[in-house]
Amino acid sequence: MKRSQPCVLIYNPISGHGHLDSWNALFVGLLLERGYRIIVLTPDRKALESRLAQRKLVDHPMLHILDWNTPRKLHRLQRLWHWWLSYGKSYADQYPESRVTPQMPARTRIKKRVFQIIVPPLFRLSRLVHILFPQESGDPAECHYLEPVDMAYHINAALKKTPWRPDCLLNMYLDMYKTGVEGWRQFALRCRLPWGGVRFAPADPPPQEGYYSLPSLRGVCFLDEAVCQAYSTSLPDKYFQYIPDITNEELSEHPCYLAEEIMCRAAGRKIVFLGGSMVRKKNIARWSELITLADSRRWFFVQVGEVYGHTFSPADIAALERLVAHPPENLFLHTHYLPDEKEFNAIIRIADILFAVYRDFRNSSNMLSKAAYFEKPILVSDGYLMGDRVRRYGIGVVVDQDDVQGMLSAIERLAESLVSPECFAAYRGEFNEEALTSALEKFVMRAFR
């Protein structure tokens, strides 16, 4: 007798950043289309529903979206306090995201100028109060990471209102959780479901994250085949599944005014695009140098994505400050998150070259899939997974992450010698929805058998 497919609770802990909402909807949609019953818990229900509506799945009878709520008043205050420590520090230390830029609407500029005056002294006062509270032990670098027990609180509160009992739990983003053993032990005491998750940037094995000590953790999905093999050897009692790093390539039927503005300003020059969350890995210092070095009569640069200045190196901060204070004529700068991925895709479609020369970045990026689906050559760093894949499929050029002259030479070569469509097609042949669905099904059936 064929075994019935389990009911999967998909837990998306973060919305409104990067491509997490897009991946959440992708996983939900693919498993629904394979006949699974899916329960979803996500902070932004509308973000999920709008994406599922594009696949005509928002009213699917095997889908139940739970309300994201916090069951305890103390817990709400705790989350507000952690948010304030992060938000206040960005203004007190003058991170780039706290600055006023010419592209901002007038209301936003006024609001930020007011916050620049009132937030720093309030933050300094709150830090004095913070000293009076006992601090949780753990890695100081994880002070603003998610608490594992919060996931249990959300799940237990939400499951009281679901018509189905899930057989297993899949967490869509393990990277932003605190790793201490005690925090994960507290989670396991409150949540008895067998569970697994997706980790985008795994640590070197053997791993130290506390969740690997839990019997209830059955396995983890990675985007690197070699890492899966290494973890399987290190932790033979867990199941590790490779999943292809695919992307949403949908475009709107309506004009994208941001893309039209870029085209107008580029005025026929070659467009080089850097997009996504602007964090340390994006190598802003070298990107800025490339803009300065390139001939402004031939090249137009586009940077789109929310800035997380607290992750930047001093050189990155200085470079971004120069770009914001004195933006070059051949640069389009949009420092905010684009909630509609169709707009992001529309900008990629008009670009000539994608810039992904990331700093010390060992992991996968869905910009490779963006490049393949929109057939745009991509420039990436040497010595890491992205460089290996670009070489294997021939979809771009690999350069040293600090060689700005090499970057300029590379975009010149890409402008003169187009990548073969067969190279892009070969990449799409292995990084697609069918391959991802097969990998997900394999993970669910093996990890939770």
Side-chain angles (χ1 to χ4, degrees), residues 96 278-280 284 307-314 316-317 320:
M278 295 299 147
V279 293
R280 182 185 180 91
I284 294 298
V307 175
Y308 295 89
H310 63 282
T311 70
F312 280 15
S313 69
D316 292 332
I317 293 175
L320 185 62

Side-chain angles (χ1 to χ4, degrees), residues 272-416:
V272 182
F273 175 69
L274 169 64
S277 297
M278 295 299 147
V279 293
R280 182 185 180 91
K281 73 174 185 184
K282 288 299 174 71
N283 211 2
I284 294 298
R286 301 296 175 259
W287 162 255
S288 174
E289 290 177 31
L290 175 61
I291 296 171
T292 301
L293 191 61
D295 185 349
S296 61
R297 297 168 299 179
R298 296 190 59 220
W299 296 99
F300 189 81
F301 295 86
V302 176
Q303 177 183 322
V304 174
E306 187 174 2
V307 175
Y308 295 89
H310 63 282
T311 70
F312 280 15
S313 69
D316 292 332
I317 293 175
L320 185 62
E321 286 178 343
R322 287 193 297 270
L323 293 178
V324 171
H326 306 287
E329 182 279 329
N330 64 330
L331 170 67
F332 181 91
L333 196 60
H334 182 88
T335 58
H336 305 288
Y337 172 67
L338 284 183
D340 188 351
E341 194 161 357
K342 291 180 180 180
E343 283 190 277
F344 194 83
N345 291 341
I347 298 171
I348 290 177
R349 186 174 62 168
I350 66 168
D352 295 286
I353 297 169
L354 305 186
F355 179 94
V357 188
Y358 300 155
R359 178 195 294 120
D360 301 330
F361 185 66
R362 301 176 301 166
N363 307 300
S364 180
S365 166
N366 78 343
M367 286 306 294
L368 294 179
S369 289
K370 296 285 191 190
Y373 275 91
F374 292 101
E375 300 198 347
K376 305 295 180 179
I378 188 167
L379 191 63
V380 302
S381 301
D382 195 7
Y384 304 102
L385 178 62
M386 291 179 68
D388 293 343
R389 288 180 176 170
V390 166
R391 280 198 178 96
R392 187 189 317 164
Y393 294 95
I395 61 173
V397 174
V398 177
V399 297
D400 184 273
Q401 65 183 25
D402 292 313
D403 184 2
V404 180
Q405 184 61 58
M407 297 174 197
L408 180 60
S409 298
I411 64 174
E412 294 280 2
R413 295 202 308 273
L414 288 173
E416 295 172 1

Side-chain angles (χ1 to χ4, degrees), residues 112-369:
K112 280 189 173 290
R113 288 195 178 100
V114 171
F115 286 179
Q116 286 170 347
I117 296 171
I118 66 174
V119 170
L122 289 176
F123 176 74
R124 288 190 287 271
L125 178 61
S126 66
R127 291 290 294 177
L128 293 175
V129 176
H130 191 47
I131 295 172
L132 302 177
F133 288 85
Q135 300 299 301
E136 179 184 359
S137 61
D139 186 347
E142 297 182 352
C143 63
H144 301 306
Y145 280 32
L146 300 176
E147 297 283 355
V149 75
D150 287 358
M151 175 166 51
Y153 290 144
H154 282 297
I155 289 170
N156 291 337
L159 287 183
K160 295 176 182 179
K161 301 179 181 179
T162 178
W164 309 320
R165 175 69 185 175
D167 297 298
C168 54
L169 162 68
L170 181 65
N171 187 298
M172 290 297 300
Y173 195 54
L174 288 176
D175 297 68
M176 279 302 296
Y177 280 90
K178 294 183 178 180
T179 58
V181 173
E182 178 58 26
W184 284 103
R185 190 183 73 84
Q186 292 298 322
F187 162 79
L189 288 174
R190 293 163 174 81
C191 180
R192 303 290 183 175
L193 288 171
W195 69 285
V198 180
R199 180 82 194 237
F200 291 89
D204 292 331
Q208 304 301 313
E209 294 91 337
Y211 46 77
Y212 287 115
S213 67
L214 303 180
S216 59
L217 175 73
R218 303 298 178 81
V220 179
C221 296
F222 297 134
L223 284 74
D224 185 335
E225 294 157 297
V227 170
C228 280
Q229 183 59 50
Y231 267 72
S232 297
T233 301
S234 178
L235 297 173
D237 60 325
K238 308 294 184 187
Y239 180 72
F240 298 96
Q241 176 66 52
Y242 164 71
I243 57 174
D245 193 353
I246 75 169
T247 189
N248 176 328
E249 71 275 9
E250 294 177 344
L251 292 164
S252 176
E253 298 176 356
H254 308 290
C256 173
Y257 297 109
L258 205 57
E260 290 181 347
E261 182 180 354
I262 292 169
M263 286 286 287
C264 181
R265 285 192 51 191
R269 290 172 287 186
K270 295 289 185 181
I271 297 173
V272 182
F273 175 69
L274 169 64
S277 297
M278 295 299 147
V279 293
R280 182 185 180 91
K281 73 174 185 184
K282 288 299 174 71
N283 211 2
I284 294 298
R286 301 296 175 259
W287 162 255
S288 174
E289 290 177 31
L290 175 61
I291 296 171
T292 301
L293 191 61
D295 185 349
S296 61
R297 297 168 299 179
R298 296 190 59 220
W299 296 99
F300 189 81
F301 295 86
V302 176
Q303 177 183 322
V304 174
E306 187 174 2
V307 175
Y308 295 89
H310 63 282
T311 70
F312 280 15
S313 69
D316 292 332
I317 293 175
L320 185 62
E321 286 178 343
R322 287 193 297 270
L323 293 178
V324 171
H326 306 287
E329 182 279 329
N330 64 330
L331 170 67
F332 181 91
L333 196 60
H334 182 88
T335 58
H336 305 288
Y337 172 67
L338 284 183
D340 188 351
E341 194 161 357
K342 291 180 180 180
E343 283 190 277
F344 194 83
N345 291 341
I347 298 171
I348 290 177
R349 186 174 62 168
I350 66 168
D352 295 286
I353 297 169
L354 305 186
F355 179 94
V357 188
Y358 300 155
R359 178 195 294 120
D360 301 330
F361 185 66
R362 301 176 301 166
N363 307 300
S364 180
S365 166
N366 78 343
M367 286 306 294
L368 294 179
S369 289

